[in-house]
Structure formats: C-alpha cells, structure tokens
Amino acid sequence: MNMRMAAATTSRAFLYSHHYHSLPFFVPSFFTASRVPRSHRNNVRNPILLSAVKCLQSSSGRQNVVEILEERGLLESLTSEQLRHACSDPKHPPLKVYCGFDPTAESLHLGNLLGLIVLSWFQRCGHQTVALIGGATARVGDPSGKSLERPELEPETLSQNTSGITNTIGRILGSSGVSILNNYDWWKEVRLLDFLKDVGRFARVGSMMAKESVKKRLESEQGMSYTEFTYQLLQGYDFLYLFRNEGINVQIGGSDQWGNITAGTELIRKILRVDDVAYGLTFRLLLKSDGTKFGKSEDGAIWLSPSMLSPYKFYQYFFSVSDADVVRFLKILTFLDMNDIKQLESDMNRPGYLPNTAQRRLAEEVTRFVHGQDGLDEALKATEALRPGADTKLDWKTMQAISEDVPSCSFPYHQVLDLSLVDLSVSSGLLDSKSAARRLLKQGGLYLNNSRVDSENKRIEPQDIVDGKLLLLSAGKKNKVLVRISSGS
C-alpha cells in the first residue's frame, strides 16, 4: 500500500513538473502520504489550531461541522458526502477551507455575513480557514444572480475596497484565526496562452453554458459578455491553484455559487487526475419567511463596516426582525446552543412573554460577532439614550455616536436659548406646525433630551443643552431630531 502511495506521489510530481510548469504552481507537501500541509505545522500556536489538536486527541473526535450546519438550517448542498466523513474522522487532518469575497464595495454587507459565519463554524470545529479577496475576479465581475454586467472598477477603487474588506474580515474572524489571500497575486503572473493551453482545454463549453447563472443571462435581453462567461473558469482555477499551492481542499459559498464551485472541483479532478479529494459546500441564501431577500433596508445595504453603518443602526435592523423570522435567524446567524434557541422559541408561545425578547437576543449576538463587545456596548447605550423617558443621562459622546442615524439641524446658541420648545419643534423640522406641537405636548408625546415636557410654556435653558453642544427632540418613540448648537457668539 505504501509503495503504491509513494509511486502515485512521484507520478504526480513528474506530471506537474513536466506538463504544467508554465503556470504559477508548485507541488505542496499536501500530496505526500500521511502528512499535514506545512501551513498546519507552522501555526501550531494559533488558538484555533490548538483547539483542533485537542479535538483530535479527544476520544470523541472533533465536532462534525457539516452536521452542525445541517441542524441549524445553513447547509444547502455538498459536492460529495465524503466531506461529511472527513469533518469528523480523527484520522483525517483538519480541513483547510476558503470562501471568496470580491471587493466590489468598500465594505462587506449582510449578504456576505453567512460566508463569515460558516468559516467561523469551521474554525470552531478545529479546521483552518482562508478568506480569498477577489482582486482579480472583481475586474471581471461574477454574473451569478445578476441581471446586468457589473460596472468596471478603477484600480484605485479596487485597492481601496480590498483594504476595507480585509480589515472587516480580520476584525470579525480575528487576524490570527483566518488567513487572507488575494487572487490577483497569482493571476497577475498568468499568461493567456498558457492558461488556454494548460487549463482552458479541460473546460467543456457545453457544461459552462449549462450553469444556471449563464443560462439566465443568455435568455435575457442584455445577454452575457465573453468576459463574464469566463468568470466560472477563473474561480475554478482559483480553487485549483489553492488546492495545489496552499493545501486548501474545501470551498464554500452561497447556493448561487454552486456552478463556480463545481467548476473548481472538476478542474482539480481532470487536471490532477484525482477523485474525491476536493470538496464544495454551499449554504442557503439569507431570505425572509415571505421569500424576499434579507439584508436591505430603506437606506440600502446593511454594511458590516462601522464606518458605513453604525453598530447602533446595525443592532436596530436585527431588533426589528419579525416573530416569523427570528427563530430561524437565531439558528443561522448566531452561535447560540440549539437548546437555548428552543427555549426562546418555547417562551415566545407562553403567557407573559416580553415582546421582542428573542429579537433582542438576536441583535445582541449578531452585533457582538460583527462589531465586538465594544460595538455592542455602543449600540446598547445609544439604544437606551434614544428611548424617550429613559433614565440614561445623555452626554455629548453618546449623542455624537448616533448623530449619523438621526436627522439633525444646526442653530446658533443665541437663537436657541430662551426659545420656546413649541417653536423649536417646528423650526427644527420635528413637527409641521405649532398646533401639532401643542397637541402632541398635551398628549404627553413631546420629549426634550428624553424627558417628557408637560408645559407648552417650556423654553430652552442653558442646562438643557447637553455639554453646551446638543439637544435631542422626540415626537413619540420614533421621530427624533438632533439639534446641534454652534458657537454662542
């Protein structure tokens, strides 16, 4: 048996060195019998890898990540059931898994969050993870799920987007827990004729045209450019390159990536002449119970970068999830124990259940994962600060943190001081008329800095102005205006 394995390894090495020398490949130690890729050995101090070692040493073996994803409703498809076995077999070294992210914007958005969550599940089960930034493929544009060709991005924009996405991934998954690569690093060395000769001849046009993403575009009025048509081959080559050079043997992606993922497993099978050694896994897209896409708000995408969407607004988006969706989202978007989720679900159907308890837990868990404990603390503090009648003392820092999420206006200090609250409510745009302000005031719905105002004779005093800079006006629970106070001169 050992002689056959050694012969096979020698044969592959000969094949690589004599037939595929023109493309930037080398033979990784992954292909030697019973050896773990070098990247596993060099990162032994990584806490994720240490946990993997502990899993391997335990009598029960590591947790099966495929079964976890399946139980939580995340799993869509596997290219081979062998992946399920490899995930928990103590004799099998930890898997090395990657997910691709094209830098088409400066930040990842909620649609990308599932990829990060699935990578994190692989981490937690003792496997190695890689995030691949598509610095090259973003120049082409993935047609999957798109009705129109993506606009071309300038190199400066791509560089800026790549930097932003790299920072986001490192912040969420931990720079020591995930390796971040950029496919432009190898694509910039590939020559077209070499690629066509060494890779293109293994791609069957019929199979490429049968991909769902291609068929839909070909049937549309806009059609599909040759550039977009080649995207699946480019992504397939990425998997081939990473398999040979980095020992990566699993690619994950949303269900719309199935065609691109299988393009990679097919290239590995045909070019390397090996079967069932590289796997693909897809997870379900994030949809609401009514079938619409989850991840868009009235203001646009739900970004994962705090510079593009505050932790407060991110938290509020999940807090507003419907009862029909909240349990399913707790399963797929958090790492809560399934028994805890079942308890929350049971509590929702009991008398005395406090509304939005499950939503609050969802918002807390997802915000903590994406923005860390500091981001969650900021969101909770802002949420409390913006609640009319709250006891939380407002300060300039808290109000400044929510300033981008609340309509605002500016007035000079001398114009605001001693101005009636009724007049300020109208001039700030909070209410349309003085009569509306007086009516709301009598109903107990007009607030100044979260304190209910009962008298229509109330005028702005120096002590009302928070740190001499801001006022917060509220009409009911949702309508608010932040009044910025400029210099008193």
Side-chain angles (χ1 to χ4, degrees), residues 447-476:
Y447 294 81
L448 172 62
N449 297 336
N450 285 341
S451 296
R452 179 183 293 159
V453 178
D454 298 317
S455 172
E456 64 179 76
N457 296 321
K458 168 64 182 175
R459 292 181 176 275
I460 305 301
E461 302 174 70
Q463 59 266 29
D464 294 325
I465 302 174
V466 178
D467 294 338
K469 298 176 181 179
L470 298 165
L471 290 167
L472 180 63
L473 305 182
S474 305

Short mmCIF file of all heavy atoms in Angstrom, two decimals, residues 447-476:
data_model
loop_
_atom_site.label_atom_id
_atom_site.label_comp_id
_atom_site.label_asym_id
_atom_site.label_seq_id
_atom_site.Cartn_x
_atom_site.Cartn_y
_atom_site.Cartn_z
N TYR A 447 -40.83 65.19 23.82
CA TYR A 447 -39.72 64.99 24.75
C TYR A 447 -38.56 65.91 24.42
O TYR A 447 -38.26 66.16 23.24
CB TYR A 447 -39.22 63.55 24.71
CG TYR A 447 -40.22 62.52 25.20
CD1 TYR A 447 -41.24 62.05 24.38
CD2 TYR A 447 -40.12 62.01 26.49
CE1 TYR A 447 -42.14 61.10 24.82
CE2 TYR A 447 -41.02 61.06 26.96
CZ TYR A 447 -42.03 60.61 26.12
OH TYR A 447 -42.92 59.66 26.57
N LEU A 448 -37.89 66.37 25.47
CA LEU A 448 -36.64 67.11 25.33
C LEU A 448 -35.57 66.33 26.08
O LEU A 448 -35.68 66.13 27.30
CB LEU A 448 -36.79 68.52 25.93
CG LEU A 448 -35.50 69.36 26.03
CD1 LEU A 448 -34.90 69.61 24.64
CD2 LEU A 448 -35.76 70.68 26.74
N ASN A 449 -34.55 65.87 25.35
CA ASN A 449 -33.48 65.05 25.94
C ASN A 449 -34.06 63.86 26.72
O ASN A 449 -33.63 63.55 27.84
CB ASN A 449 -32.59 65.90 26.85
CG ASN A 449 -31.87 66.99 26.09
OD1 ASN A 449 -31.65 66.88 24.88
ND2 ASN A 449 -31.52 68.08 26.79
N ASN A 450 -35.07 63.21 26.11
CA ASN A 450 -35.72 62.02 26.65
C ASN A 450 -36.63 62.29 27.84
O ASN A 450 -37.23 61.36 28.38
CB ASN A 450 -34.69 60.94 27.05
CG ASN A 450 -34.12 60.24 25.83
OD1 ASN A 450 -34.69 60.28 24.75
ND2 ASN A 450 -32.96 59.62 26.00
N SER A 451 -36.76 63.53 28.27
CA SER A 451 -37.66 63.87 29.38
C SER A 451 -38.95 64.44 28.81
O SER A 451 -38.91 65.36 27.97
CB SER A 451 -37.00 64.89 30.32
OG SER A 451 -35.86 64.33 30.93
N ARG A 452 -40.07 63.90 29.25
CA ARG A 452 -41.36 64.38 28.76
C ARG A 452 -41.60 65.82 29.21
O ARG A 452 -41.33 66.17 30.36
CB ARG A 452 -42.48 63.48 29.28
CG ARG A 452 -43.87 63.92 28.84
CD ARG A 452 -44.93 63.03 29.44
NE ARG A 452 -44.83 61.68 28.88
CZ ARG A 452 -45.33 60.60 29.47
NH1 ARG A 452 -45.92 60.71 30.66
NH2 ARG A 452 -45.23 59.42 28.89
N VAL A 453 -42.11 66.61 28.29
CA VAL A 453 -42.43 68.01 28.58
C VAL A 453 -43.94 68.14 28.68
O VAL A 453 -44.67 67.74 27.77
CB VAL A 453 -41.87 68.94 27.49
CG1 VAL A 453 -42.25 70.39 27.79
CG2 VAL A 453 -40.36 68.79 27.38
N ASP A 454 -44.42 68.73 29.78
CA ASP A 454 -45.85 68.84 30.02
C ASP A 454 -46.39 70.25 29.79
O ASP A 454 -47.59 70.42 29.59
CB ASP A 454 -46.19 68.41 31.46
CG ASP A 454 -45.82 66.96 31.72
OD1 ASP A 454 -46.09 66.12 30.84
OD2 ASP A 454 -45.24 66.67 32.78
N SER A 455 -45.54 71.24 29.81
CA SER A 455 -46.00 72.63 29.69
C SER A 455 -45.61 73.22 28.34
O SER A 455 -44.45 73.13 27.92
CB SER A 455 -45.39 73.48 30.81
OG SER A 455 -45.67 74.85 30.61
N GLU A 456 -46.57 73.85 27.68
CA GLU A 456 -46.27 74.48 26.40
C GLU A 456 -45.51 75.78 26.58
O GLU A 456 -45.08 76.41 25.61
CB GLU A 456 -47.55 74.72 25.59
CG GLU A 456 -48.53 75.70 26.20
CD GLU A 456 -49.74 75.89 25.30
OE1 GLU A 456 -50.60 74.99 25.27
OE2 GLU A 456 -49.80 76.92 24.61
N ASN A 457 -45.31 76.19 27.82
CA ASN A 457 -44.52 77.40 28.11
C ASN A 457 -43.03 77.09 28.26
O ASN A 457 -42.24 78.00 28.51
CB ASN A 457 -45.03 78.06 29.40
CG ASN A 457 -46.46 78.55 29.26
OD1 ASN A 457 -46.85 79.05 28.20
ND2 ASN A 457 -47.25 78.38 30.31
N LYS A 458 -42.67 75.80 28.13
CA LYS A 458 -41.27 75.41 28.30
C LYS A 458 -40.38 76.12 27.29
O LYS A 458 -40.64 76.15 26.08
CB LYS A 458 -41.14 73.89 28.13
CG LYS A 458 -39.70 73.37 28.00
CD LYS A 458 -38.89 73.63 29.26
CE LYS A 458 -37.44 73.15 29.08
NZ LYS A 458 -36.59 73.50 30.24
N ARG A 459 -39.29 76.72 27.79
CA ARG A 459 -38.30 77.38 26.95
C ARG A 459 -36.92 76.74 27.19
O ARG A 459 -36.68 76.15 28.24
CB ARG A 459 -38.24 78.88 27.25
CG ARG A 459 -39.50 79.62 26.82
CD ARG A 459 -39.43 81.11 27.09
NE ARG A 459 -40.62 81.77 26.57
CZ ARG A 459 -40.76 82.17 25.29
NH1 ARG A 459 -39.76 82.01 24.45
NH2 ARG A 459 -41.88 82.74 24.90
N ILE A 460 -36.07 76.85 26.20
CA ILE A 460 -34.74 76.23 26.28
C ILE A 460 -33.86 77.03 27.23
O ILE A 460 -33.67 78.24 27.06
CB ILE A 460 -34.09 76.13 24.89
CG1 ILE A 460 -34.99 75.39 23.92
CG2 ILE A 460 -32.72 75.45 25.00
CD1 ILE A 460 -35.35 73.98 24.34
N GLU A 461 -33.30 76.32 28.22
CA GLU A 461 -32.40 76.93 29.20
C GLU A 461 -30.99 76.40 28.99
O GLU A 461 -30.78 75.36 28.36
CB GLU A 461 -32.89 76.60 30.61
CG GLU A 461 -34.33 77.05 30.89
CD GLU A 461 -34.81 76.55 32.23
OE1 GLU A 461 -34.30 77.06 33.26
OE2 GLU A 461 -35.67 75.65 32.26
N PRO A 462 -29.99 77.11 29.52
CA PRO A 462 -28.59 76.66 29.33
C PRO A 462 -28.36 75.22 29.79
O PRO A 462 -27.63 74.48 29.14
CB PRO A 462 -27.79 77.66 30.18
CG PRO A 462 -28.63 78.90 30.19
CD PRO A 462 -30.05 78.40 30.22
N GLN A 463 -29.00 74.80 30.90
CA GLN A 463 -28.78 73.45 31.41
C GLN A 463 -29.42 72.37 30.55
O GLN A 463 -29.13 71.18 30.69
CB GLN A 463 -29.28 73.32 32.85
CG GLN A 463 -30.76 73.62 33.05
CD GLN A 463 -31.03 75.06 33.43
OE1 GLN A 463 -30.26 75.95 33.03
NE2 GLN A 463 -32.07 75.30 34.20
N ASP A 464 -30.31 72.76 29.63
CA ASP A 464 -30.92 71.80 28.71
C ASP A 464 -29.96 71.36 27.62
O ASP A 464 -30.08 70.26 27.06
CB ASP A 464 -32.17 72.39 28.05
CG ASP A 464 -33.30 72.65 29.05
OD1 ASP A 464 -33.43 71.85 29.99
OD2 ASP A 464 -34.03 73.63 28.87
N ILE A 465 -29.01 72.22 27.29
CA ILE A 465 -28.10 71.96 26.17
C ILE A 465 -26.99 71.02 26.65
O ILE A 465 -26.18 71.39 27.50
CB ILE A 465 -27.51 73.27 25.62
CG1 ILE A 465 -28.65 74.19 25.18
CG2 ILE A 465 -26.58 72.98 24.44
CD1 ILE A 465 -28.20 75.57 24.74
N VAL A 466 -26.96 69.79 26.12
CA VAL A 466 -26.02 68.75 26.56
C VAL A 466 -24.60 69.16 26.22
O VAL A 466 -24.24 69.35 25.05
CB VAL A 466 -26.36 67.40 25.90
CG1 VAL A 466 -25.34 66.33 26.32
CG2 VAL A 466 -27.77 66.96 26.27
N ASP A 467 -23.80 69.32 27.27
CA ASP A 467 -22.39 69.73 27.13
C ASP A 467 -22.25 70.99 26.29
O ASP A 467 -21.21 71.19 25.62
CB ASP A 467 -21.55 68.59 26.52
CG ASP A 467 -21.47 67.39 27.45
OD1 ASP A 467 -21.68 67.56 28.66
OD2 ASP A 467 -21.21 66.27 26.96
N GLY A 468 -23.31 71.82 26.29
CA GLY A 468 -23.27 73.08 25.55
C GLY A 468 -23.26 72.92 24.05
O GLY A 468 -22.99 73.87 23.32
N LYS A 469 -23.62 71.70 23.54
CA LYS A 469 -23.46 71.44 22.11
C LYS A 469 -24.70 70.86 21.43
O LYS A 469 -24.88 71.04 20.22
CB LYS A 469 -22.30 70.46 21.88
CG LYS A 469 -20.96 70.99 22.34
CD LYS A 469 -19.87 69.92 22.17
CE LYS A 469 -18.53 70.42 22.67
NZ LYS A 469 -17.47 69.39 22.53
N LEU A 470 -25.57 70.13 22.16
CA LEU A 470 -26.62 69.37 21.50
C LEU A 470 -27.93 69.37 22.30
O LEU A 470 -27.93 69.48 23.53
CB LEU A 470 -26.18 67.91 21.31
CG LEU A 470 -24.96 67.64 20.44
CD1 LEU A 470 -24.46 66.22 20.66
CD2 LEU A 470 -25.29 67.82 18.97
N LEU A 471 -29.02 69.20 21.55
CA LEU A 471 -30.33 68.94 22.12
C LEU A 471 -30.95 67.78 21.36
O LEU A 471 -30.73 67.64 20.15
CB LEU A 471 -31.26 70.16 21.96
CG LEU A 471 -30.99 71.41 22.79
CD1 LEU A 471 -31.81 72.57 22.26
CD2 LEU A 471 -31.31 71.15 24.26
N LEU A 472 -31.71 66.93 22.05
CA LEU A 472 -32.41 65.84 21.39
C LEU A 472 -33.91 66.04 21.57
O LEU A 472 -34.41 66.05 22.70
CB LEU A 472 -32.00 64.49 21.98
CG LEU A 472 -32.67 63.26 21.36
CD1 LEU A 472 -32.29 63.12 19.89
CD2 LEU A 472 -32.29 61.99 22.13
N LEU A 473 -34.62 66.23 20.46
CA LEU A 473 -36.07 66.39 20.48
C LEU A 473 -36.72 65.11 19.98
O LEU A 473 -36.24 64.51 19.01
CB LEU A 473 -36.50 67.56 19.58
CG LEU A 473 -35.87 68.94 19.85
CD1 LEU A 473 -36.46 69.96 18.89
CD2 LEU A 473 -36.09 69.36 21.29
N SER A 474 -37.81 64.70 20.64
CA SER A 474 -38.51 63.47 20.24
C SER A 474 -40.01 63.72 20.17
O SER A 474 -40.59 64.32 21.07
CB SER A 474 -38.24 62.34 21.23
OG SER A 474 -36.86 62.11 21.39
N ALA A 475 -40.61 63.24 19.10
CA ALA A 475 -42.07 63.24 18.96
C ALA A 475 -42.51 61.78 18.98
O ALA A 475 -42.41 61.09 17.97
CB ALA A 475 -42.48 63.93 17.66
N GLY A 476 -42.98 61.32 20.14
CA GLY A 476 -43.28 59.91 20.28
C GLY A 476 -42.00 59.11 20.40
O GLY A 476 -40.94 59.63 20.75
#
